[in-house]
Amino acid sequence: MTRICGEDATATISGEVLVEISAAGVTKAYALAALCEEIGIDRAAVVALGDMPNDIPMLEWAGLGIAVANAHPDVIAVADEITASNDADGVAVALERLLLDGAVEAP
């Protein structure tokens, strides 16, 4: 996709037939970092969960990046942890574990 967008845009996939194109450098990680800076949260305290290549920058940026078991192989490769698949409520499983272990505090 870099061949098509060059340095002018960022392209990624978030599904089998969905291509996302945004301004150069604009990713989920960019937005998450900006939000965390604005509200004073250190990246080490951030947990991010994902399943598709558009989540990779966010998972790499977060203090803890978790992929669901049925995530795209590139996502699994960069994740710090793997949880159950999204069909088996993997996000809920990961959040429950983190909350029960005291790794994160409930709001």
Side-chain angles (χ1 to χ4, degrees):
M1 287 189 249
T2 303
R3 181 182 55 188
I4 295 169
C5 295
E7 300 294 320
D8 298 326
T10 297
T12 188
I13 60 170
S14 59
E16 290 183 28
V17 296
L18 182 60
V19 175
E20 295 179 6
I21 298 174
S22 61
V26 176
T27 64
K28 288 182 178 184
Y30 173 85
L32 185 56
L35 174 63
C36 287
E37 183 177 341
E38 183 177 315
I39 61 177
I41 296 175
D42 186 85
R43 73 189 281 178
V46 175
V47 176
L49 294 103
D51 66 343
M52 292 303 289
N54 65 327
D55 297 320
I56 290 173
M58 176 181 65
L59 295 177
E60 292 176 325
W61 182 86
L64 177 61
I66 303 175
V68 292
N70 59 331
H72 188 280
D74 292 346
V75 175
I76 290 176
V78 303
D80 299 309
E81 292 183 13
I82 311 299
T83 188
S85 74
N86 58 1
D87 295 325
D89 299 325
V91 172
V93 168
L95 293 176
E96 184 176 70
R97 181 189 61 78
L98 292 168
L99 289 169
L100 291 178
D101 289 350
V104 296
E105 294 181 19

